[in-house]
Amino acid sequence: MRERERERERVREKEIMSTQSQPREPQSEQEVVQRFSAMRQEVSALYQKVSELDADLQEHDLVIKAIGGMESKRKCFRLVGGVLVERTVGEVLPAVTTNKQGITGIKEQLQKQFELKQNELKAFQEKYKISVRGEEPGQGQQASKAAEGSANKGAIQGVLA
């Protein structure tokens, strides 16, 4: 009796593992549309996060340029978790530089993930011959590349030192 239960449990685990490792193919048109919509939302979310990190990098660059030439003993105010903290330039500059390096690494990882998901979306769209209303073939890629270029051009102004 227990052996049967154990065998059933093993079979269930194998089924779960096989479905988790490989996403099953959509069976109906509605499932294809739902999966495509979910993939588009995921690509959009990744793009928004990459853009947000790009803006953060620009802010960090601006701060580093603004306080880079100042004396290390000069007062400096830094916003940490919503609290304005008084420090010196010598304390803030290394911290901001370290944060910038961390953000750069995360942005690169997310950019790779974004490109991978975008390619998956394109392959899925071509496989199921999906066309989006109001969008010509290839227009989605051109729009995302144009948006990336415009995100890199804008800079946020205003530093208090």
Side-chain angles (χ1 to χ4, degrees):
M1 187 81 166
R2 289 186 181 192
E3 290 178 25
R4 287 184 195 170
E5 290 177 16
R6 288 180 187 160
E7 186 62 32
R8 286 182 196 157
E9 190 64 32
R10 287 184 198 136
V11 169
R12 284 186 204 138
E13 289 177 6
K14 287 180 182 178
E15 288 175 359
I16 291 171
M17 294 299 284
S18 67
T19 58
Q20 288 177 350
S21 63
Q22 296 177 354
R24 65 180 185 84
E25 291 293 316
Q27 299 297 319
S28 68
E29 186 176 322
Q30 186 178 9
E31 288 179 9
V32 170
V33 170
Q34 287 176 344
R35 181 158 318 157
F36 180 71
S37 178
M39 291 173 78
R40 281 185 73 164
Q41 288 176 350
E42 190 175 355
V43 167
S44 177
L46 283 170
Y47 177 75
Q48 288 175 346
K49 190 62 179 173
V50 168
S51 296
E52 181 183 314
L53 290 175
D54 192 42
D56 286 348
L57 282 174
Q58 290 175 1
E59 288 180 20
H60 279 70
D61 279 336
L62 194 60
V63 170
I64 290 169
K65 287 177 186 175
I67 66 174
M70 296 181 180
E71 292 180 27
S72 61
K73 294 180 182 179
R74 183 171 174 174
K75 275 187 194 178
C76 183
F77 294 92
R78 180 175 183 210
L79 193 62
V80 179
V83 178
L84 194 60
V85 182
E86 182 179 339
R87 300 278 187 235
T88 63
V89 171
E91 295 171 335
V92 171
L93 189 57
V96 172
T97 305
T98 303
N99 285 350
K100 181 186 169 203
Q101 291 170 348
I103 292 171
T104 302
I106 292 170
K107 181 189 169 207
E108 289 172 358
Q109 289 175 351
L110 283 177
Q111 185 70 37
K112 288 177 187 175
Q113 226 179 352
F114 169 74
E115 291 168 0
L116 180 71
K117 291 293 182 180
Q118 195 173 31
N119 290 337
E120 286 178 17
L121 179 66
K122 182 181 174 187
F124 188 83
Q125 189 173 5
E126 289 174 359
K127 179 178 180 181
Y128 291 100
K129 297 177 177 68
I130 300 172
S131 61
V132 180
R133 288 185 195 149
E135 184 178 291
E136 295 176 20
Q139 184 180 0
Q141 291 177 340
Q142 293 171 358
S144 66
K145 288 179 182 177
E148 285 179 25
S150 65
N152 291 337
K153 290 178 185 175
I156 299 173
Q157 300 278 329
V159 174
L160 177 63

